[in-house]
Amino acid sequence: MMEISILLNGTQTATSVEPHETLLIVLRRLGLVSVRFGSDTGETGSSAVLVDGRLVNTDVMLAAQVDGHEVTTVEAFNTPDLDPIQTSFMVTGAIQSGYSTPAMILGTRALIDRNPDPSEADVRDMLSGILDRETGYVKPVEAIMRAAAVMRGDQTEPFEPAILEPMTDGSNPVDVDPSDQPPDVSYAVPRVVPSPDVPEMSVVGKPEIKVDAVRLVKGNPAFVDDFEDRNLLTAKVLRSPHAHANILDIDDSKARALPGVHAVLHYKNTPRVKYASGGQSYPNPHPHDQVSFDDKVRHVGDRVAAVAADTAEIAEEAIRLIEVTYEPLPAIFDERDALLPGAPVIHDEPDTEEIFDRERNIVHHIGANRGDVDRALAGADHVFEHTFRVHQVQPTPIEPHISVAWLDADERMVVRTATQVPFHTRRMLAPLIGRAVKDVRIIKPRIGGGFGAKQEMLIEDIAAHLAIATRRPVKLELTREEEFVSSRTRHPQTLTFKTGVNSDGMLVAQDLYVIGNTGPYGSHAYTVQTVTGLRGLSSYNCPNKRFNCDVVYTNIPVAGAYRGYGAPQAEFALEAHMEDIAHQLGLDPIEFKRRNWVKLGDELDIAPHLGERAVAEDELDEYPRVSSCGVEECMAQASRAIRWHRHADPAWRQPADRPNIRRGIGFAFCMHGTAIPFLDMGGCSMKLNDDGSFNMLIGATDLGTGADTVIGQIAAEVLGVKLDDIKVYSSDTDITPFDTGAYASSTTFISGTAAKVAAEAIRARIKERAAKMLGVDEPCTIELRDNTAWTADGRSVSLEDIALDSLHLEDQEQIMGTGSYVSPDCPPPFGAQFAEIEIDIETGQITVVKLVMAVDCGVAINPMTASGQVEGGMTQALGYAHCEEYAFDADGRMVNAELGPYKIYRADEMPELEVYLVQTMEDSGPFGAKAVAEIPKDGVAPAIRNAILNATGVAINDLPFTPERVWQALRADS
Amino acid sequence: MSSIVAYHRPNSLGEAVELLAQSGRSILAGGTAIVPEARSRRADGVELIDLQALQLDGISETEGRLTLGAMVRLGDLATDDRAGELINDLARRELPSAMRNQATVGGTVASASPDSVLIAGLLVHDAQVEFHDGRTSSLSRVLSDGTNGAIIVAVSIDPTGSGSIVATGRTPADLPIVAAVARSTDGGPRLAITGASATVVEVDPSEPTAGLEPPSDFRGSSGYRLELADTLSQRVLKAVS
């Protein structure tokens, strides 16, 4: 140990540190929890603080290095009043999960101290050191520019949405005048195109500040690792170096003998209980092909053993001391190889049931059909077939998976964990640790991003097993490398579309065959691939459709849920396929697609035949139909913004002064779903407090998306109060009502409706009480607005008086309401996605210049958070299309399990992002809302692909568009 | 058990040299590379010698050359007018902001990364590496032979002339797969290439790819990198001509 002395947030502070300890470790030990772990190698920037006024990463700086220096964390600004930087982040919607917000605020402080009038380039350069997987950087840049302006004393306007004139009548296409210009407002400003069908509301549709904003800008304790746990042990996991091997023996004696080690768990001392880790509704789809610790490993990074020890260093040392005898086995990585005769069988254990074809590694075969595809193809005027390959990528939330497990005073298992699915986790964890569901409690605090990776019971069982074994609290946090090799990824797929088209340009048959690669465990294999079929065959009207899919086991890291589920794969293939058909028929791609895409009132004809609630064609009375559709307004707004007319101008596509550059613009039609009908369910309970405010308990899982805010707005609208009068709490399985969780674009639609139902229930009781207090016979004539109950003749009583009366004065009661909701509907949001690119035809380098997306998400309950969702979603999709990719050596070891080599976009290299929110009134949604979270993931890859085609005439059917892949394609074409 | 078993902060160069003379010790400059590397190193504990107290963080001009102290932060180099636009730009490109505020010139040279655009820039600016014992060696030689246990105290460059970089990466700010950096001088252009050899190399502008045998990795095969080296060299030479 050594003593260091630092001027920490203005106070001279002496502390003891180990030579190996990073500044991150020491600051967190000192209680400065705004400094957060994202990686060990400095790339995420979530751990950044100011040292002598400069932004530096504490994960790659030893604590000893700052001896004698000044260190500033965001806690230095922890005064009752907010700093102008903090305020700017709040009002511009720059905060989503808030995990890295303290680092951004500190970087802003350093930047403005040095340069009070920074340019946008200066701001983006500062942000280059802080990766953001959530916002697309648009609103943080705006926040920083605004903060600088405020601190200079410049006048700033309120940050509010821009309300735009509609360009269409809502249903028919228009020709966009090339001279017509999009609105001249900052990209960060939500651009809302209103619908006359949507009534004016008080709270819904307003850019309310997130309900958790203060806690996040101040860096207050909010996330799993931010809370003190006495006697906490640290867990580490021994992971497989082999892609496929039997474990012949484990000798843990040396590890157990190491002082400070409290438990070592593996297959020899842990109950073998079968499960599937995907966080899904009961009953979890088979096969249940996992156990907590197995005697076989199936991918590099698979679990072998786990240790709980006094410190991370001791746990790591113990891991090294575990002696494992492996019997390596042949491995397969490509989904096409898994089906070949003689391929090694990955699940040969007898106790995994319901594998579709074990010998061929086919975990699921999925099929759906409408009409007679073979006959229609045989009779079609033209038949087109194209095959596409999509790759493996990772959600990379900046907060890795982390769980803390302990036995409470009643000896119940409590797990505070970064999860999107607390209730599924409770149900799935209980049997693995031999406990009843009632004896398990899952607490979800703030989550630093999930994007599907945390729709999984991924590590909670390890922490819980160790907590039981040690009878002490145990923390398990994945390293960034573990996040890559042992978390969950997007399924690689090989997709083949075969489409019959008649001479009039109308589709007559679509046949989609997919080989999906789930890695070695089923997880979300069945449902992701059903969504691939659903999304691949829903966008276009066609009387004959067929989906066939083989989902196979391989030895790559496990695939699972990732925002968009199986849709981005399908939409890439579909929109590329349709583009190529149009070109081969000599048709304008947009007109060809428009002729066929689904419109208001059209049937959603494949949806009922796929998924957990699938029915056969002859069992269905009526297909669901599109009940709201703003796609033509989306087309008009987005094509004007991207200046679509340029795509047909040869002089623009081939700039005379840049001979190696070609330009192109690509388009993708987007259509997604909103929740899973008859399955997704959420609950809400509310109560009225003395001052007329409300507590709201919801099981919904805000991952940074703003769900708590949006759901609070819905309730506030019903109750005629301000958002600040609704105190939202989510989620804790002991306290809050059930919710399936944050996935399937369901939260606003399902959990929001549950909140609306609960609020309506409590409103009804408030009205009854108010009617009695005001001497009105008909409670239904009472209106709630401005925190007051009003009679038709203008008399009133405040909610506070109603609350005091009901709680304390007369006929006392707790006014409360509950609600839950499951939907029979799945109204699709629509979107128009455009991409402008430049391609260097000599090097293959693609530069994405601009992405424009116009989205019909119904009524955006909060346009600030909704547009932020689109910006962040497009940015993730941009990475999928362009630069993110798992790379392996010949033995299946990931060679780029580190941010940087695994490339995600940073602030100083982003294309322009322009987002439009096109309102429609979706009657099945709360106050007209549909989903918005996942549709931005769908269209970017095909739009870029089609832009490359527009620029060069070369169609590339494999993702991502990295330079050598594009260069090879261009060479092959020439 | 610990990966880093001791931390030293010498107050003089002599003290640093003395500390370094013992085995199992390494120099700590900014820490962006060695801290994660040392912390992930198993069993073999290392002692780190932090040079921050040696006042090696100055930039000075002498007889037409610019001397960059080994502990000059890349963030400072990126904004120092005396270094010229090309070096400013390359220091900025080398790392994102927070890492740039920590990483140093000496650490960058010592890392000898084959992908370092800053090293390429230093090469074409006739970089000479100064060691604690007064020896001076060309950067090219240091890249090929290593520092042989000596402490880098400064890197001097000829800051004159204009230069340019042309690079290909997955994204605009990506670590380039291959980059060509050139600078015009009275004696003709000087050219260095990243990503096409085991280290960044200065090459003959008339035969830029002669003798290059690029390694392959997931970002680019050997053949692709060689093509890039040729294409980007021609472009950057044209830009500085």
Side-chain angles (χ1 to χ4, degrees), chain A residues 20 40 54-55 60 64-65 67 69 125-126 128-129 320 660 840 842-843 845 882 900-901 903 909 963-964 967, chain B residues 2 4 7 9 30-31 36 39 42 52 76 96-98 100-102 168-171 173 218 220-221 224 235:
Chain A
H20 62 85
D40 292 306
R54 291 164 172 256
L55 190 72
V60 289
Q65 286 179 269
D67 185 19
H69 293 271
D125 181 58
M126 183 280 287
S128 69
R320 284 192 284 276
N660 56 305
D840 186 327
E842 292 177 346
T843 67
Q845 179 175 266
H882 193 200
K903 175 65 187 174
E909 57 183 340
E964 185 168 7
W967 179 76
Chain B
S2 297
I4 299 170
Y7 168 88
R9 190 188 293 182
R39 281 174 51 79
R42 306 306 181 199
Q52 67 169 278
D76 289 334
S97 60
R100 197 188 308 148
N101 286 336
Q102 201 175 332
T168 294
R170 292 168 295 182
T171 63
F218 66 96
S221 65
Y224 176 61
R235 288 189 192 172

Side-chain angles (χ1 to χ4, degrees), chain A residues 2 18-22 25 40-43 45 48 54-69 114 125-130 258-259 311 313-314 316-317 320 659-660 840-848 882-883 885 887-888 895-896 900-906 908-910 961-964 967-968 971, chain B residues 1-9 28-44 46 48 50 52 71 73-79 92-103 166-178 216-225 227-228 231-232 235 238:
Chain A
M2 53 186 293
E18 296 280 1
H20 62 85
E21 287 183 317
T22 61
I25 292 169
D40 292 306
T41 46
E43 307 98 348
R54 291 164 172 256
L55 190 72
V56 298
N57 287 323
T58 58
D59 54 332
V60 289
M61 176 171 273
L62 298 177
Q65 286 179 269
V66 301
D67 185 19
H69 293 271
R114 195 172 66 249
D125 181 58
M126 183 280 287
L127 285 175
S128 69
I130 305 168
L258 188 68
T311 68
E313 289 72 33
I314 295 171
E316 285 170 359
E317 180 65 15
R320 284 192 284 276
N660 56 305
D840 186 327
I841 58 172
E842 292 177 346
T843 67
Q845 179 175 266
I846 302 285
T847 303
V848 180
H882 193 200
C883 57
E885 182 175 27
F888 299 98
V895 297
N896 61 337
Y902 183 92
K903 175 65 187 174
I904 71 176
Y905 263 81
R906 34 185 251 210
D908 60 341
E909 57 183 340
M910 285 293 297
F961 302 121
T962 46
E964 185 168 7
W967 179 76
Q968 295 282 12
R971 279 182 23 136
Chain B
M1 182 185 301
S2 297
S3 49
I4 299 170
V5 294
Y7 168 88
H8 306 276
R9 190 188 293 182
L28 168 62
T32 54
I34 198 167
V35 168
E37 192 269 332
R39 281 174 51 79
S40 66
R41 198 184 291 170
R42 306 306 181 199
D44 57 337
V46 64
L48 294 181
D50 186 345
Q52 67 169 278
M71 292 295 283
R73 312 280 166 180
L74 302 194
D76 289 334
L77 188 58
T79 55
R92 187 187 57 76
R93 288 173 183 247
E94 185 79 3
L95 286 170
S97 60
M99 302 268 268
R100 197 188 308 148
N101 286 336
Q102 201 175 332
V166 181
T168 294
R170 292 168 295 182
T171 63
D174 191 19
L175 183 71
I177 300 166
V178 173
S216 287
D217 74 359
F218 66 96
R219 297 190 307 141
S221 65
S222 179
Y224 176 61
R225 287 172 183 265
E227 291 271 355
L228 284 182
T231 300
L232 302 181
R235 288 189 192 172
K238 190 176 174 186

Side-chain angles (χ1 to χ4, degrees), chain B residues 138-235:
Chain B
S138 71
L139 175 55
S140 291
R141 170 156 291 187
V142 172
L143 293 175
S144 60
D145 297 350
T147 59
N148 295 316
I151 299 174
I152 297 171
V153 295
V155 177
S156 73
I157 59 171
D158 174 357
T160 63
S162 62
S164 187
I165 175 173
V166 181
T168 294
R170 292 168 295 182
T171 63
D174 191 19
L175 183 71
I177 300 166
V178 173
V181 177
R183 166 177 162 258
S184 61
T185 73
D186 293 341
R190 294 183 69 167
L191 173 65
I193 299 175
T194 77
S197 188
T199 63
V200 182
V201 285
E202 183 168 6
V203 298
D204 180 350
S206 64
E207 287 185 289
T209 59
L212 290 182
E213 293 181 3
S216 287
D217 74 359
F218 66 96
R219 297 190 307 141
S221 65
S222 179
Y224 176 61
R225 287 172 183 265
L226 202 59
E227 291 271 355
L228 284 182
D230 187 46
T231 300
L232 302 181
S233 294
Q234 303 310 326
R235 288 189 192 172

Side-chain angles (χ1 to χ4, degrees), chain A residues 819-899:
Chain A
S820 70
Y821 187 66
V822 62
S823 175
D825 301 305
C826 178
F830 292 91
Q833 176 74 61
F834 287 88
E836 177 185 338
I837 62 114
E838 289 187 355
I839 177 169
D840 186 327
I841 58 172
E842 292 177 346
T843 67
Q845 179 175 266
I846 302 285
T847 303
V848 180
V849 176
K850 184 167 187 168
L851 296 175
V852 176
M853 186 172 205
V855 188
D856 155 27
C857 60
V859 174
I861 303 294
N862 186 326
M864 200 75 78
T865 59
S867 59
Q869 285 290 297
V870 180
E871 290 151 5
M874 276 203 295
T875 304
Q876 290 181 351
L878 172 63
Y880 181 57
H882 193 200
C883 57
E884 294 180 36
E885 182 175 27
Y886 271 50
F888 299 98
D889 67 13
D891 296 321
R893 292 185 188 86
M894 188 179 177
V895 297
N896 61 337
E898 183 182 344
L899 292 166

Side-chain angles (χ1 to χ4, degrees), chain A residues 446-463:
Chain A
R446 296 291 92 186
I447 301 301
F451 321 118
K454 294 171 181 170
Q455 192 195 338
E456 196 86 7
M457 205 278 294
L458 189 76
I459 60 171
E460 288 85 353
D461 63 317
I462 299 177

Side-chain angles (χ1 to χ4, degrees), chain A residues 184-228:
Chain A
D184 182 22
V185 295
S186 163
Y187 288 137
V189 172
R191 294 142 191 256
V192 177
V193 184
S195 162
D197 301 331
V198 178
E200 179 61 28
M201 290 177 269
S202 301
V203 188
V204 163
K206 307 301 181 195
E208 298 281 354
I209 291 173
K210 276 166 60 100
V211 296
D212 48 359
V214 169
R215 129 177 50 163
L216 297 172
V217 293
K218 287 192 163 189
N220 291 343
F223 299 90
V224 170
D225 199 30
D226 292 353
F227 301 92
E228 293 271 349

Side-chain angles (χ1 to χ4, degrees), chain A residues 17 33 92 173 199 201 302 337 402 406 486 511 559 588 747 789 825 835 890 933 951:
Chain A
V17 304
V33 297
T92 57
M201 290 177 269
D302 206 354
D337 295 339
I402 178 169
W406 69 93
S486 72
D511 193 11
D588 175 81
T747 301
D825 301 305

